[in-house]
PDB file of all heavy atoms in Angstrom:
ATOM      1  N   ASN A   1       0.219  -5.708  19.842  1.00  0.00           N
ATOM      2  CA  ASN A   1      -0.953  -4.966  19.360  1.00  0.00           C
ATOM      3  C   ASN A   1      -0.649  -4.111  18.129  1.00  0.00           C
ATOM      4  O   ASN A   1      -1.259  -3.052  17.925  1.00  0.00           O
ATOM      5  CB  ASN A   1      -1.517  -4.073  20.476  1.00  0.00           C
ATOM      6  CG  ASN A   1      -1.915  -4.876  21.696  1.00  0.00           C
ATOM      7  OD1 ASN A   1      -2.546  -5.935  21.584  1.00  0.00           O
ATOM      8  ND2 ASN A   1      -1.529  -4.399  22.873  1.00  0.00           N
ATOM      9  N   GLN A   2       0.282  -4.566  17.300  1.00  0.00           N
ATOM     10  CA  GLN A   2       0.665  -3.811  16.111  1.00  0.00           C
ATOM     11  C   GLN A   2      -0.345  -4.027  14.981  1.00  0.00           C
ATOM     12  O   GLN A   2      -0.858  -5.124  14.780  1.00  0.00           O
ATOM     13  CB  GLN A   2       2.050  -4.261  15.629  1.00  0.00           C
ATOM     14  CG  GLN A   2       2.569  -3.510  14.410  1.00  0.00           C
ATOM     15  CD  GLN A   2       3.898  -4.081  13.926  1.00  0.00           C
ATOM     16  OE1 GLN A   2       4.189  -5.263  14.134  1.00  0.00           O
ATOM     17  NE2 GLN A   2       4.700  -3.241  13.303  1.00  0.00           N
ATOM     18  N   THR A   3      -0.652  -2.951  14.239  1.00  0.00           N
ATOM     19  CA  THR A   3      -1.377  -3.083  12.972  1.00  0.00           C
ATOM     20  C   THR A   3      -0.652  -2.247  11.927  1.00  0.00           C
ATOM     21  O   THR A   3       0.093  -1.310  12.265  1.00  0.00           O
ATOM     22  CB  THR A   3      -2.839  -2.603  13.069  1.00  0.00           C
ATOM     23  OG1 THR A   3      -2.857  -1.193  13.260  1.00  0.00           O
ATOM     24  CG2 THR A   3      -3.583  -3.298  14.196  1.00  0.00           C
ATOM     25  N   ASP A   4      -0.876  -2.550  10.668  1.00  0.00           N
ATOM     26  CA  ASP A   4      -0.219  -1.815   9.592  1.00  0.00           C
ATOM     27  C   ASP A   4      -0.568  -0.331   9.635  1.00  0.00           C
ATOM     28  O   ASP A   4       0.249   0.530   9.278  1.00  0.00           O
ATOM     29  CB  ASP A   4      -0.623  -2.387   8.231  1.00  0.00           C
ATOM     30  CG  ASP A   4      -0.062  -3.784   7.995  1.00  0.00           C
ATOM     31  OD1 ASP A   4       0.611  -4.325   8.904  1.00  0.00           O
ATOM     32  OD2 ASP A   4      -0.310  -4.343   6.908  1.00  0.00           O
ATOM     33  N   GLN A   5      -1.786  -0.027  10.084  1.00  0.00           N
ATOM     34  CA  GLN A   5      -2.232   1.368  10.073  1.00  0.00           C
ATOM     35  C   GLN A   5      -1.629   2.204  11.199  1.00  0.00           C
ATOM     36  O   GLN A   5      -1.885   3.406  11.288  1.00  0.00           O
ATOM     37  CB  GLN A   5      -3.756   1.432  10.112  1.00  0.00           C
ATOM     38  CG  GLN A   5      -4.386   1.446   8.710  1.00  0.00           C
ATOM     39  CD  GLN A   5      -3.978   0.252   7.848  1.00  0.00           C
ATOM     40  OE1 GLN A   5      -4.406  -0.870   8.102  1.00  0.00           O
ATOM     41  NE2 GLN A   5      -3.150   0.497   6.848  1.00  0.00           N
ATOM     42  N   ASP A   6      -0.778   1.575  12.042  1.00  0.00           N
ATOM     43  CA  ASP A   6      -0.010   2.367  13.006  1.00  0.00           C
ATOM     44  C   ASP A   6       0.947   3.316  12.284  1.00  0.00           C
ATOM     45  O   ASP A   6       1.237   4.414  12.773  1.00  0.00           O
ATOM     46  CB  ASP A   6       0.807   1.453  13.925  1.00  0.00           C
ATOM     47  CG  ASP A   6      -0.070   0.606  14.831  1.00  0.00           C
ATOM     48  OD1 ASP A   6      -1.265   0.928  14.972  1.00  0.00           O
ATOM     49  OD2 ASP A   6       0.436  -0.404  15.369  1.00  0.00           O
ATOM     50  N   SER A   7       1.444   2.895  11.124  1.00  0.00           N
ATOM     51  CA  SER A   7       2.435   3.701  10.417  1.00  0.00           C
ATOM     52  C   SER A   7       2.053   4.021   8.977  1.00  0.00           C
ATOM     53  O   SER A   7       2.755   4.788   8.317  1.00  0.00           O
ATOM     54  CB  SER A   7       3.790   2.970  10.411  1.00  0.00           C
ATOM     55  OG  SER A   7       3.649   1.645   9.936  1.00  0.00           O
ATOM     56  N   LEU A   8       0.940   3.458   8.495  1.00  0.00           N
ATOM     57  CA  LEU A   8       0.507   3.694   7.120  1.00  0.00           C
ATOM     58  C   LEU A   8      -0.932   4.175   7.091  1.00  0.00           C
ATOM     59  O   LEU A   8      -1.720   3.847   7.982  1.00  0.00           O
ATOM     60  CB  LEU A   8       0.609   2.399   6.295  1.00  0.00           C
ATOM     61  CG  LEU A   8       2.000   1.791   6.101  1.00  0.00           C
ATOM     62  CD1 LEU A   8       1.880   0.455   5.380  1.00  0.00           C
ATOM     63  CD2 LEU A   8       2.911   2.743   5.322  1.00  0.00           C
ATOM     64  N   PRO A   9      -1.329   4.921   6.057  1.00  0.00           N
ATOM     65  CA  PRO A   9      -2.747   5.260   5.904  1.00  0.00           C
ATOM     66  C   PRO A   9      -3.558   3.991   5.655  1.00  0.00           C
ATOM     67  O   PRO A   9      -3.000   2.934   5.316  1.00  0.00           O
ATOM     68  CB  PRO A   9      -2.760   6.162   4.653  1.00  0.00           C
ATOM     69  CG  PRO A   9      -1.355   6.542   4.396  1.00  0.00           C
ATOM     70  CD  PRO A   9      -0.498   5.468   4.972  1.00  0.00           C
ATOM     71  N   PRO A  10      -4.869   4.043   5.805  1.00  0.00           N
ATOM     72  CA  PRO A  10      -5.703   2.895   5.434  1.00  0.00           C
ATOM     73  C   PRO A  10      -5.380   2.469   3.999  1.00  0.00           C
ATOM     74  O   PRO A  10      -5.112   3.311   3.129  1.00  0.00           O
ATOM     75  CB  PRO A  10      -7.126   3.437   5.560  1.00  0.00           C
ATOM     76  CG  PRO A  10      -7.017   4.563   6.535  1.00  0.00           C
ATOM     77  CD  PRO A  10      -5.666   5.168   6.313  1.00  0.00           C
ATOM     78  N   TYR A  11      -5.437   1.164   3.731  1.00  0.00           N
ATOM     79  CA  TYR A  11      -4.956   0.675   2.443  1.00  0.00           C
ATOM     80  C   TYR A  11      -5.768   1.186   1.255  1.00  0.00           C
ATOM     81  O   TYR A  11      -5.224   1.359   0.159  1.00  0.00           O
ATOM     82  CB  TYR A  11      -4.898  -0.853   2.451  1.00  0.00           C
ATOM     83  CG  TYR A  11      -3.633  -1.372   3.092  1.00  0.00           C
ATOM     84  CD1 TYR A  11      -3.679  -2.085   4.286  1.00  0.00           C
ATOM     85  CD2 TYR A  11      -2.395  -1.135   2.511  1.00  0.00           C
ATOM     86  CE1 TYR A  11      -2.522  -2.548   4.883  1.00  0.00           C
ATOM     87  CE2 TYR A  11      -1.227  -1.594   3.103  1.00  0.00           C
ATOM     88  CZ  TYR A  11      -1.296  -2.303   4.287  1.00  0.00           C
ATOM     89  OH  TYR A  11      -0.139  -2.748   4.872  1.00  0.00           O
ATOM     90  N   ASP A  12      -7.057   1.459   1.437  1.00  0.00           N
ATOM     91  CA  ASP A  12      -7.805   1.994   0.303  1.00  0.00           C
ATOM     92  C   ASP A  12      -7.294   3.381  -0.068  1.00  0.00           C
ATOM     93  O   ASP A  12      -7.224   3.747  -1.253  1.00  0.00           O
ATOM     94  CB  ASP A  12      -9.310   2.005   0.588  1.00  0.00           C
ATOM     95  CG  ASP A  12      -9.682   2.792   1.828  1.00  0.00           C
ATOM     96  OD1 ASP A  12      -8.791   3.060   2.669  1.00  0.00           O
ATOM     97  OD2 ASP A  12     -10.870   3.137   1.979  1.00  0.00           O
ATOM     98  N   VAL A  13      -6.897   4.162   0.940  1.00  0.00           N
ATOM     99  CA  VAL A  13      -6.309   5.478   0.691  1.00  0.00           C
ATOM    100  C   VAL A  13      -4.902   5.339   0.115  1.00  0.00           C
ATOM    101  O   VAL A  13      -4.548   5.954  -0.899  1.00  0.00           O
ATOM    102  CB  VAL A  13      -6.275   6.309   1.991  1.00  0.00           C
ATOM    103  CG1 VAL A  13      -5.516   7.619   1.775  1.00  0.00           C
ATOM    104  CG2 VAL A  13      -7.683   6.575   2.493  1.00  0.00           C
ATOM    105  N   LEU A  14      -4.098   4.521   0.778  1.00  0.00           N
ATOM    106  CA  LEU A  14      -2.708   4.338   0.351  1.00  0.00           C
ATOM    107  C   LEU A  14      -2.636   3.840  -1.090  1.00  0.00           C
ATOM    108  O   LEU A  14      -1.857   4.357  -1.912  1.00  0.00           O
ATOM    109  CB  LEU A  14      -2.003   3.356   1.284  1.00  0.00           C
ATOM    110  CG  LEU A  14      -0.558   2.992   0.912  1.00  0.00           C
ATOM    111  CD1 LEU A  14       0.338   4.216   0.994  1.00  0.00           C
ATOM    112  CD2 LEU A  14      -0.044   1.873   1.816  1.00  0.00           C
ATOM    113  N   ASP A  15      -3.449   2.842  -1.420  1.00  0.00           N
ATOM    114  CA  ASP A  15      -3.357   2.232  -2.748  1.00  0.00           C
ATOM    115  C   ASP A  15      -3.795   3.186  -3.847  1.00  0.00           C
ATOM    116  O   ASP A  15      -3.239   3.175  -4.960  1.00  0.00           O
ATOM    117  CB  ASP A  15      -4.178   0.949  -2.793  1.00  0.00           C
ATOM    118  CG  ASP A  15      -3.558  -0.161  -1.947  1.00  0.00           C
ATOM    119  OD1 ASP A  15      -2.439   0.044  -1.441  1.00  0.00           O
ATOM    120  OD2 ASP A  15      -4.186  -1.221  -1.805  1.00  0.00           O
ATOM    121  N   ASP A  16      -4.774   4.034  -3.556  1.00  0.00           N
ATOM    122  CA  ASP A  16      -5.183   5.018  -4.563  1.00  0.00           C
ATOM    123  C   ASP A  16      -4.064   6.019  -4.797  1.00  0.00           C
ATOM    124  O   ASP A  16      -3.754   6.362  -5.949  1.00  0.00           O
ATOM    125  CB  ASP A  16      -6.459   5.731  -4.122  1.00  0.00           C
ATOM    126  CG  ASP A  16      -7.024   6.624  -5.219  1.00  0.00           C
ATOM    127  OD1 ASP A  16      -7.215   6.120  -6.350  1.00  0.00           O
ATOM    128  OD2 ASP A  16      -7.262   7.812  -4.969  1.00  0.00           O
ATOM    129  N   ILE A  17      -3.439   6.491  -3.723  1.00  0.00           N
ATOM    130  CA  ILE A  17      -2.330   7.437  -3.868  1.00  0.00           C
ATOM    131  C   ILE A  17      -1.177   6.787  -4.629  1.00  0.00           C
ATOM    132  O   ILE A  17      -0.594   7.379  -5.546  1.00  0.00           O
ATOM    133  CB  ILE A  17      -1.860   7.935  -2.486  1.00  0.00           C
ATOM    134  CG1 ILE A  17      -2.956   8.767  -1.816  1.00  0.00           C
ATOM    135  CG2 ILE A  17      -0.571   8.744  -2.615  1.00  0.00           C
ATOM    136  CD1 ILE A  17      -2.653   9.133  -0.369  1.00  0.00           C
ATOM    137  N   LEU A  18      -0.855   5.555  -4.273  1.00  0.00           N
ATOM    138  CA  LEU A  18       0.263   4.872  -4.918  1.00  0.00           C
ATOM    139  C   LEU A  18       0.010   4.624  -6.403  1.00  0.00           C
ATOM    140  O   LEU A  18       0.908   4.785  -7.232  1.00  0.00           O
ATOM    141  CB  LEU A  18       0.552   3.551  -4.206  1.00  0.00           C
ATOM    142  CG  LEU A  18       1.233   3.673  -2.850  1.00  0.00           C
ATOM    143  CD1 LEU A  18       1.270   2.324  -2.152  1.00  0.00           C
ATOM    144  CD2 LEU A  18       2.642   4.235  -3.005  1.00  0.00           C
ATOM    145  N   SER A  19      -1.195   4.214  -6.740  1.00  0.00           N
ATOM    146  CA  SER A  19      -1.478   3.952  -8.151  1.00  0.00           C
ATOM    147  C   SER A  19      -1.324   5.233  -8.974  1.00  0.00           C
ATOM    148  O   SER A  19      -0.862   5.203 -10.121  1.00  0.00           O
ATOM    149  CB  SER A  19      -2.876   3.359  -8.329  1.00  0.00           C
ATOM    150  OG  SER A  19      -3.880   4.289  -7.977  1.00  0.00           O
ATOM    151  N   LEU A  20      -1.671   6.362  -8.382  1.00  0.00           N
ATOM    152  CA  LEU A  20      -1.515   7.642  -9.069  1.00  0.00           C
ATOM    153  C   LEU A  20      -0.039   8.030  -9.181  1.00  0.00           C
ATOM    154  O   LEU A  20       0.418   8.505 -10.225  1.00  0.00           O
ATOM    155  CB  LEU A  20      -2.292   8.731  -8.336  1.00  0.00           C
ATOM    156  CG  LEU A  20      -3.817   8.593  -8.389  1.00  0.00           C
ATOM    157  CD1 LEU A  20      -4.478   9.492  -7.359  1.00  0.00           C
ATOM    158  CD2 LEU A  20      -4.335   8.919  -9.788  1.00  0.00           C
ATOM    159  N   LEU A  21       0.726   7.814  -8.115  1.00  0.00           N
ATOM    160  CA  LEU A  21       2.141   8.162  -8.137  1.00  0.00           C
ATOM    161  C   LEU A  21       2.950   7.220  -9.029  1.00  0.00           C
ATOM    162  O   LEU A  21       3.839   7.661  -9.766  1.00  0.00           O
ATOM    163  CB  LEU A  21       2.714   8.118  -6.720  1.00  0.00           C
ATOM    164  CG  LEU A  21       2.296   9.226  -5.754  1.00  0.00           C
ATOM    165  CD1 LEU A  21       2.780   8.921  -4.348  1.00  0.00           C
ATOM    166  CD2 LEU A  21       2.837  10.585  -6.219  1.00  0.00           C
ATOM    167  N   VAL A  22       2.651   5.938  -8.969  1.00  0.00           N
ATOM    168  CA  VAL A  22       3.479   4.940  -9.658  1.00  0.00           C
ATOM    169  C   VAL A  22       3.038   4.761 -11.107  1.00  0.00           C
ATOM    170  O   VAL A  22       3.823   4.964 -12.039  1.00  0.00           O
ATOM    171  CB  VAL A  22       3.441   3.594  -8.916  1.00  0.00           C
ATOM    172  CG1 VAL A  22       4.231   2.531  -9.687  1.00  0.00           C
ATOM    173  CG2 VAL A  22       4.001   3.743  -7.509  1.00  0.00           C
ATOM    174  N   GLU A  23       1.799   4.363 -11.304  1.00  0.00           N
ATOM    175  CA  GLU A  23       1.340   4.120 -12.670  1.00  0.00           C
ATOM    176  C   GLU A  23       1.037   5.425 -13.420  1.00  0.00           C
ATOM    177  O   GLU A  23       1.264   5.522 -14.614  1.00  0.00           O
ATOM    178  CB  GLU A  23       0.101   3.240 -12.687  1.00  0.00           C
ATOM    179  CG  GLU A  23       0.384   1.766 -12.503  1.00  0.00           C
ATOM    180  CD  GLU A  23       0.041   1.283 -11.110  1.00  0.00           C
ATOM    181  OE1 GLU A  23      -1.133   1.014 -10.833  1.00  0.00           O
ATOM    182  OE2 GLU A  23       0.972   1.175 -10.297  1.00  0.00           O
ATOM    183  N   GLY A  24       0.530   6.427 -12.684  1.00  0.00           N
ATOM    184  CA  GLY A  24       0.108   7.660 -13.338  1.00  0.00           C
ATOM    185  C   GLY A  24       1.139   8.762 -13.368  1.00  0.00           C
ATOM    186  O   GLY A  24       0.987   9.726 -14.126  1.00  0.00           O
ATOM    187  N   GLU A  25       2.212   8.651 -12.554  1.00  0.00           N
ATOM    188  CA  GLU A  25       3.195   9.744 -12.421  1.00  0.00           C
ATOM    189  C   GLU A  25       2.472  11.073 -12.172  1.00  0.00           C
ATOM    190  O   GLU A  25       2.854  12.124 -12.697  1.00  0.00           O
ATOM    191  CB  GLU A  25       4.083   9.846 -13.671  1.00  0.00           C
ATOM    192  CG  GLU A  25       4.897   8.597 -13.972  1.00  0.00           C
ATOM    193  CD  GLU A  25       6.040   8.370 -12.991  1.00  0.00           C
ATOM    194  OE1 GLU A  25       6.180   9.153 -12.038  1.00  0.00           O
ATOM    195  OE2 GLU A  25       6.781   7.395 -13.175  1.00  0.00           O
ATOM    196  N   THR A  26       1.445  11.028 -11.343  1.00  0.00           N
ATOM    197  CA  THR A  26       0.565  12.178 -11.131  1.00  0.00           C
ATOM    198  C   THR A  26       1.192  13.189 -10.174  1.00  0.00           C
ATOM    199  O   THR A  26       1.869  12.820  -9.208  1.00  0.00           O
ATOM    200  CB  THR A  26      -0.783  11.695 -10.561  1.00  0.00           C
ATOM    201  OG1 THR A  26      -1.279  10.641 -11.395  1.00  0.00           O
ATOM    202  CG2 THR A  26      -1.802  12.808 -10.505  1.00  0.00           C
ATOM    203  N   ARG A  27       0.957  14.463 -10.429  1.00  0.00           N
ATOM    204  CA  ARG A  27       1.438  15.521  -9.539  1.00  0.00           C
ATOM    205  C   ARG A  27       0.762  15.411  -8.167  1.00  0.00           C
ATOM    206  O   ARG A  27      -0.399  15.026  -8.061  1.00  0.00           O
ATOM    207  CB  ARG A  27       1.106  16.895 -10.112  1.00  0.00           C
ATOM    208  CG  ARG A  27       1.762  17.223 -11.436  1.00  0.00           C
ATOM    209  CD  ARG A  27       1.240  18.552 -11.947  1.00  0.00           C
ATOM    210  NE  ARG A  27       1.781  18.865 -13.260  1.00  0.00           N
ATOM    211  CZ  ARG A  27       2.957  19.446 -13.467  1.00  0.00           C
ATOM    212  NH1 ARG A  27       3.698  19.801 -12.416  1.00  0.00           N
ATOM    213  NH2 ARG A  27       3.389  19.684 -14.685  1.00  0.00           N
ATOM    214  N   VAL A  28       1.495  15.800  -7.132  1.00  0.00           N
ATOM    215  CA  VAL A  28       0.928  15.838  -5.782  1.00  0.00           C
ATOM    216  C   VAL A  28      -0.314  16.736  -5.755  1.00  0.00           C
ATOM    217  O   VAL A  28      -1.334  16.391  -5.154  1.00  0.00           O
ATOM    218  CB  VAL A  28       1.985  16.316  -4.769  1.00  0.00           C
ATOM    219  CG1 VAL A  28       1.329  16.705  -3.437  1.00  0.00           C
ATOM    220  CG2 VAL A  28       3.041  15.232  -4.547  1.00  0.00           C
TER     221      VAL A  28
END
């Protein structure tokens, strides 16, 4: 009964945060 969201935020949330951290080098 494993899903990715057991250990990760929902992908729409995760991907927005990642794009800001990786491509944007954005401050927390």
